[in-house]
Amino acid sequence: SEQTFIAVKPDGVQRGLVGDIISRFEKRGYKLAAIKLVTASKEHLEKHYADLKEKPFFPGLIAYMGSGPICAMVWEGRDAVKTGRVILGATNPLASTPGTIRGDYAIDVGRNVCHGSDAVESAQKEIALWFDKSEINTWKQASHDWVYEK
Ligand code: GTP
Ligand code: MG
């Protein structure tokens, strides 16, 4: 089943939003496959955001993401990548609808609380960057058959 990389950024951790963000994915029916708190190095974050290295905001983004611990997670389930992005809301929080994480908790694009993979291929790359294979759990969710018809 599809997996996505979701992270609570340092502002979300500092603001005490980790539990709420986990809860939204849990309540939706997604399955948590991996989770850890990690303070990422500059080198690691430059790999994670390699596609953005020419952007003017890149140095600020790397500093922000390295400013404290991040809660890194892998969530699994049907359409997890696309639906994960819907749960997060738009990149710019002021364009995010209320009911999304960013639409409920953020204002500034440079402090937008959470990250989610933007495609299945980037999800696979990000999961491999942030987690060792041994950290990814395979388990049957007791609620599975109540979440999915089949
Ligand atoms: P992520 O889930 O973090 O990857 O966000 P995204 O996929 O919605 O947006 P994108 O990958 O294009 O940008 C990555 C991150 O860079 C965003 O989440 C923002 O934190 C930051 N960012 C994007 N655009 C801007 C900008 O115009 N200014 C600033 N200061 N930061 C930006
Ligand atoms: Mg992105």
Side-chain angles (χ1 to χ4, degrees):
S1 156
E2 192 170 292
Q3 292 184 328
T4 190
F5 176 68
I6 300 290
V8 184
K9 294 178 176 179
D11 51 337
V13 174
Q14 292 287 357
R15 292 175 59 194
L17 300 176
V18 169
D20 179 90
I21 291 168
I22 291 172
S23 199
R24 289 171 184 237
F25 282 85
E26 274 188 330
K27 287 176 185 166
R28 187 67 184 263
Y30 286 111
K31 180 170 78 173
L32 185 60
I35 183 166
K36 65 181 169 187
L37 203 65
V38 36
T39 305
S41 68
K42 190 165 180 278
E43 294 66 35
H44 184 92
L45 293 166
E46 285 172 350
K47 279 187 203 158
H48 174 75
Y49 280 130
D51 293 350
L52 300 174
K53 67 170 174 292
E54 306 306 331
K55 301 282 186 188
F57 58 81
F58 186 75
L61 174 62
I62 299 302
Y64 156 50
M65 291 293 288
S67 64
I70 286 171
C71 182
M73 298 176 273
V74 177
W75 285 94
E76 187 177 315
R78 188 182 298 159
D79 208 22
V81 171
K82 197 171 115 248
T83 308
R85 300 270 294 185
V86 174
I87 293 170
L88 300 194
T91 305
N92 179 358
L94 294 183
S96 299
T97 356
T100 66
I101 294 163
R102 289 163 174 167
D104 286 343
Y105 299 132
I107 293 173
D108 196 323
V109 69
R111 294 291 183 271
N112 63 357
V113 169
C114 49
H115 163 82
S117 307
D118 62 9
V120 172
E121 200 192 349
S122 32
Q124 288 164 354
K125 274 196 237 165
E126 290 172 1
I127 291 166
L129 176 65
W130 288 85
F131 288 97
D132 187 82
K133 270 204 182 75
S134 65
E135 295 176 299
I136 316 282
N137 297 269
T138 304
W139 59 291
K140 178 158 160 66
Q141 212 178 0
S143 60
H144 181 278
D145 295 352
W146 299 103
V147 173
Y148 298 96
E149 185 180 9
K150 51 179 171 261

